[in-house]
Amino acid sequence: MAADLEEKTDRYGALLAEALEEASVAPPAGTPMADAADDCYEMASSYLEDGRHFRDQDDLVNALASFSYGHAWLDAGARVGLFDVPTDGHLFTVE
C-alpha cells in the first residue's frame, strides 16, 4: 500500500508540474479576470512547492493533498476561462 501511495504522489506531482507549464493566463493583462488568473496560478504553484517539500520529508499524504489541491486550482480556473490550456490529453477536464 505504501508503494501505491508513493507512486500516486509522484504521478500527481508530475501532473501538476506539467499542467503549470501548459497553462497560460487567458484574460487581457490589467483586467480583474487576469488578476484572478494570476492568483489561481500562484496558488497552484505554491501547492506544488509545498507538495515537493512534503515529498522531500517523506510525508506522502500531505504531498499528495498539496499536489491535488494545486491541480484543482488550475483545473477550475481553466473551466471558467481563466487559462488557455490544451483541450486534448490528460491534464485538464475541459473540452
Side-chain angles (χ1 to χ4, degrees):
M1 180 143 158
D4 292 338
L5 179 59
E6 187 170 3
E7 183 277 327
K8 189 172 192 175
T9 299
D10 292 343
R11 183 167 31 97
Y12 276 52
L15 181 73
L16 176 54
E18 186 178 355
L20 280 164
E21 288 178 14
E22 293 293 328
S24 61
V25 173
T31 65
M33 293 301 284
D35 292 343
D38 289 340
D39 288 344
C40 286
Y41 192 93
E42 179 61 31
M43 289 298 294
S45 181
S46 293
Y47 274 116
L48 178 62
E49 290 177 31
D50 290 348
R52 287 176 172 165
H53 168 78
F54 289 128
R55 181 64 181 94
D56 289 344
Q57 301 299 311
D58 291 325
D59 185 348
L60 299 177
V61 171
N62 283 317
L64 179 58
S66 293
F67 295 146
S68 297
Y69 286 137
H71 198 272
W73 276 95
L74 278 185
D75 206 33
R79 290 194 55 92
V80 299
L82 296 179
F83 302 111
D84 287 325
V85 297
T87 57
D88 58 338
H90 64 285
L91 293 177
F92 298 96
T93 58
V94 295
E95 297 180 304

